[in-house]
Amino acid sequence: MQILKTIQELRDFRAKCSGDVGFVATMGALHAGHAQLIKTSVSQNNHTIVSIFVNPTQFLPGEDLSRYPRTPEADIKICQLCQADAVFMPEVDEIYNQNEIKILAPKELSSTLEGVTRPGHFDGVCTILTKFFNIINPTNAYFGKKDAQQLIIIENMVKSLFMNVNIVPIDIVRSSDGLALSSRNSYLNDDELAQALKISRSLMKASNLIKAGELSSIEIKKAMSSILEPLRVDYIAIVDKNLNPVDKIELGNSIILVAVYVKNTRLIDNLWV
Ligand code: AMP
């Protein structure tokens, strides 16, 4: 496996790839969720490139950019075990210059849900992915459903800008007790981890209610709220695939999303119904 630091090294590596190239974009602190994306890419492509880059433009002032977990050695081992062909780990200066163009996520998709608390976040995501897609020109790019709004915005960007890449969604990977794996889980102590389990339990409750025939968004949100207590809930939302709120669950076309604070850590999770 090659470790690439510069855009030139990445371009040279890409030029030697033949056949399909899979790309997995990450911010590092890799866990089994990331590994699932990488392994899927390896199984579906001739070459797989993983980026590990804590992208400053997707963090708002006051967010956790400086303390975001950075574990490069462990990350490299995980990529090796998953049989990735190359890891791209650039410095910030390699990626961003002084006068930068910004790719703006569409307002309709980016000003709701995460965008309310994190305005501008998805512009940073679209900008970095445009840069990476331009350098790598991947055949397939793998994204987790864990970041549902991000996935929908990326699909929209690729379609709007006629980008020649196939976006492949990957199911959420959870710990055995249900918690959605996240690099930010490392901020939590044991007590907070136990509290965080309420998030997946609330989604499980929603799933059971739906299976029993309850389709009313109000009723489902009510039941979820009572499970999430006393955590500070940022939002519980039930939306369609354009992120518009729906009053009634439509099987195959609805997503239930939750954002919750466990102490100072903001965690998100969701269920694609
Ligand atoms: P991040 O490093 O948090 O930017 O995530 C990189 C990619 O991994 C994104 O496409 C995420 O949606 C995906 N991802 C993160 N956590 C999980 C998870 N628990 N299950 C599946 N995919 C995930």
Side-chain angles (χ1 to χ4, degrees):
M1 188 180 78
Q2 301 221 19
I3 296 174
L4 314 169
K5 297 270 188 193
T6 66
I7 291 166
Q8 193 54 52
E9 286 169 359
L10 181 57
R11 284 196 197 281
D12 292 346
F13 178 86
R14 175 64 180 94
K16 288 190 212 118
C17 295
S18 55
D20 291 344
V21 172
F23 173 49
V24 181
T26 82
M27 298 206 300
L30 300 185
H31 50 63
H34 298 112
Q36 187 59 36
L37 271 63
I38 301 169
K39 283 189 264 181
T40 307
S41 173
V42 167
S43 73
Q44 295 180 351
N45 296 277
N46 301 87
H47 305 273
T48 289
I49 300 173
V50 181
S51 66
I52 297 179
F53 181 64
V54 182
N55 174 36
T57 62
Q58 69 189 71
F59 287 79
L60 274 74
E63 285 191 344
D64 54 346
L65 173 61
S66 58
R67 69 181 188 118
Y68 194 84
R70 287 165 170 86
T71 57
E73 277 146 36
D75 292 348
I76 289 169
K77 280 205 187 110
I78 289 174
C79 291
Q80 252 161 353
L81 283 173
C82 295
Q83 298 187 309
D85 299 281
V87 179
F88 180 49
M89 306 174 79
E91 296 294 333
V92 173
D93 291 352
E94 184 72 16
I95 299 298
Y96 288 107
N97 303 302
Q98 256 181 353
N99 301 313
E100 277 284 332
I101 196 163
K102 200 190 247 180
I103 306 296
L104 300 182
K107 267 223 171 64
E108 298 75 13
L109 299 177
S110 64
S111 59
T112 166
L113 304 167
E114 289 300 285
V116 175
T117 309
R118 311 187 72 194
H121 164 71
F122 291 112
D123 300 340
V125 171
C126 288
T127 302
I128 189 64
L129 288 175
T130 301
K131 285 172 179 266
F132 285 163
F133 287 169
N134 278 340
I135 311 167
I136 297 171
N137 187 23
T139 321
N140 299 300
Y142 296 77
F143 292 92
K145 288 182 172 180
K146 159 89 171 22
D147 298 280
Q149 189 174 9
Q150 168 175 280
L151 173 60
I152 287 166
I153 288 173
I154 294 166
E155 283 173 338
N156 174 285
M157 175 180 79
V158 163
K159 198 171 159 209
S160 301
L161 299 182
F162 309 113
M163 290 173 158
N164 198 15
V165 51
N166 177 41
I167 301 299
V168 186
I170 300 291
D171 285 342
I172 301 175
V173 177
R174 300 176 178 281
S175 66
S176 55
D177 46 16
L179 181 65
L181 298 186
S182 162
S183 305
R184 289 190 169 97
N185 290 349
S186 66
Y187 296 150
L188 306 178
N189 64 28
D190 286 350
D191 179 47
E192 290 159 356
L193 278 169
Q195 290 289 313
L197 289 181
K198 289 175 187 283
I199 303 169
S200 52
R201 285 196 192 128
S202 74
L203 289 167
M204 193 63 79
K205 174 76 186 176
S207 168
N208 288 335
L209 282 172
I210 293 163
K211 279 181 197 149
E214 178 60 80
L215 298 178
S216 153
S217 295
I218 290 182
E219 293 306 321
I220 291 166
K221 285 202 244 179
K222 234 191 263 172
M224 291 175 67
S225 294
S226 68
I227 290 182
L228 289 167
E229 265 171 32
L231 296 176
R232 180 154 66 98
V233 176
D234 187 352
Y235 61 77
I236 302 172
I238 304 185
V239 300
D240 62 19
K241 289 192 177 152
N242 293 313
L243 302 179
N244 295 314
V246 294
D247 295 335
K248 219 171 154 204
I249 294 273
E250 200 185 311
L251 297 181
N253 194 36
S254 301
I255 312 171
I256 306 178
L257 305 105
V258 199
V260 164
Y261 290 91
V262 179
K263 205 95 182 271
N264 297 320
T265 303
R266 190 167 173 284
L267 298 175
I268 58 170
D269 197 352
N270 63 69
L271 174 72
W272 297 59
V273 183

